[in-house]
Amino acid sequence: MLNITSNSSNYINFSFKLGKLTFAERLIFWTIVLTPLWWMLGIQTLLYPAVAAFLLAYGFKFDNIIQGSLPFSNWTWLGMVLVALWTNLLGLESIGFKALKTAATLFTLFKGYFLIFACLTLPFWYRIRTKVITRAVAWVGASYLIILTIQFLILFALGPQKSFLPPLARLIPGEKLSLMIKFAVIQPFFGIPLPRTDLYTADPPILGVCALLSFFICLEERNKTLRQVSLIGCLAALLVSQSRLAWVCFPLVWLIIYCFRSGLARQAYLWVISLLTLFAAILSLSLKDLITLPLATFNSARADSSKDREYVVSSTINAWKESPWIGWGFMEKTVTWGNGAFEMPLGTFSSYAQVLYIHGIFGFLMFLLALVSTLSSFWKPAIFGNRYCQRAFACLVALCLLVHATNLTWMAIYFWFFFIWLGAILSDVQQQQSNVSEWEDLLGNC
């Protein structure tokens, strides 16, 4: 530990000891910490799923499967991988397995649902401590503050700059838009011109999701100085993302955590309905009006964007109705508006609409089962006071709302560490329950 002591006897704690790291912890730690480097090289979309797949294959043992060490939620995500693969193959078969379309579709599955399953599973096959993930994410949160400061200095000193493609990204086949390094720009928000950027992600709303999840992970960082800097960085990234839904979810996560810690979690739904009804009665509004009016204000912040998203989602649902059970298998059709001035692939917005469109009702039911089972895995320990599970549950609720606006398979690559964090928490809970059972058996034998 290094202490810097001032005349007033106050000191700043710079202790960064994590103890001896396992091979998996070291690889994951540095992969997360060096996020700015991977971003500048343009290899994020390949590197993260490759690391997860390598560790999954390297640590694979039949004993891990036979002993039933994985929770049910992990199996549901594997089920989602298999259902998605099945519907993908059916769709690709209908067009004759075109090389580029087949590669793009399978790679999307690899860096989407398979990545989620792998990250949730790794902590059950290796020792991966939550404090290691927290420390790595805290360094990324601190880097948000540094990169944002640099981007704002460039914006206000030199003006808007053109985006460019990183060197290694040129070697990766397929679309390049998500690999571009973009600088901060000025965009209107509620009619006010404000700076906006997407940092290490492909789109500003994804930055909002990453910043939100990272903030609540960083709350457990033990080094006070690093924790404060990382939290400031996450808040700054959340603000400049201009993600309206992420802003709404931020206080929602705090509210859910408070309900757990105040003992109100079991009655939370009653309180919400009662308060909404009370406000509606006071304002002489129907419950529908109470929801509609704030939503109209919410959408007015970026009215054109909201209308475009609504149009694409409704068109996606209409296309799904033509193949309701197994979907279309891949994103192929597009929708245009503005006399052909704008064009967007169906399924671009909203994970729920996208899953219906690509994987049909079978995929949609499996997707819901995966989300609900993952949520329920944290519910009981959260009720009994596990602080990690409380934060994990609250963040998952927010994520269930956030994927309504952005595809999970598109943005999961940018917060892959969140799923490792969830897996590490579940692994710790399972280990604690196993230890309790062993003590109960021992006492029973005595």
Side-chain angles (χ1 to χ4, degrees), residues 350-361:
S350 178
S351 287
Y352 302 108
Q354 184 209 42
V355 171
L356 276 173
Y357 168 63
I358 297 179
H359 308 297
I361 293 176

Side-chain angles (χ1 to χ4, degrees), residues 284-322:
S284 299
L285 297 171
S286 67
L287 190 59
K288 180 180 178 181
D289 292 333
L290 191 64
I291 296 173
T292 302
L293 290 177
L295 187 61
T297 304
F298 180 80
N299 289 335
S300 68
R302 195 170 289 109
D304 292 338
S305 175
S306 298
K307 290 179 181 178
D308 294 344
R309 286 173 177 267
E310 183 179 358
Y311 181 68
V312 173
V313 171
S314 62
S315 299
T316 301
I317 296 298
N318 290 333
W320 158 71
K321 293 177 182 178
E322 299 176 20

Side-chain angles (χ1 to χ4, degrees), residues 28-29 55 96 126 147 245 264 269 288 317 420:
I28 291 172
F29 178 84
L55 287 174
Y126 300 92
I147 302 298
L245 192 55
L264 296 176
Y269 68 98
K288 180 180 178 181
I317 296 298
I420 297 182

Side-chain angles (χ1 to χ4, degrees), residues 46-177:
L46 281 179
L47 180 66
Y48 302 149
V51 168
F54 166 74
L55 287 174
L56 194 69
Y58 185 76
F60 178 80
K61 296 178 182 177
F62 280 106
D63 290 343
N64 293 332
I65 304 297
I66 297 173
Q67 292 174 0
S69 61
L70 295 182
F72 176 70
S73 57
N74 289 47
W75 291 112
T76 59
W77 283 107
L78 178 60
M80 185 63 207
V81 173
L82 297 176
V83 171
L85 177 61
W86 172 57
T87 55
N88 286 156
L89 293 177
L90 289 177
L92 292 169
E93 183 184 23
S94 66
I95 62 171
F97 291 101
K98 295 180 181 178
L100 290 178
K101 179 57 68 175
T102 300
T105 301
L106 295 182
F107 182 66
T108 298
L109 177 63
F110 176 62
K111 69 183 182 71
Y113 300 126
F114 176 80
L115 176 65
I116 294 173
F117 164 73
C119 290
L120 287 170
T121 301
L122 290 179
F124 292 90
W125 291 4
Y126 300 92
R127 187 192 72 157
I128 301 176
R129 293 166 293 169
T130 53
K131 67 178 182 179
V132 174
I133 306 300
T134 300
R135 175 63 53 81
V137 175
W139 282 116
V140 175
S143 75
Y144 283 161
L145 193 60
I146 297 172
I147 302 298
L148 282 175
T149 301
I150 295 173
Q151 287 207 2
F152 288 169
L153 288 174
I154 293 174
L155 176 64
F156 294 114
L158 304 176
Q161 302 294 309
K162 292 183 179 180
S163 57
F164 65 92
L165 193 65
L168 295 183
R170 303 175 188 275
L171 305 177
I172 300 176
E175 64 88 21
K176 299 291 193 295
L177 183 61

Side-chain angles (χ1 to χ4, degrees), residues 186-194 242 297-303:
I186 298 294
Q187 289 188 358
F189 191 76
F190 283 110
I192 303 173
L194 295 171
Q242 296 185 17
T297 304
F298 180 80
N299 289 335
S300 68
R302 195 170 289 109

Side-chain angles (χ1 to χ4, degrees), residues 37 53 103 139 260 262 307 346 393 426:
L37 175 62
W139 282 116
F260 278 122
S262 64
K307 290 179 181 178
L346 293 179
F393 183 90
L426 284 179

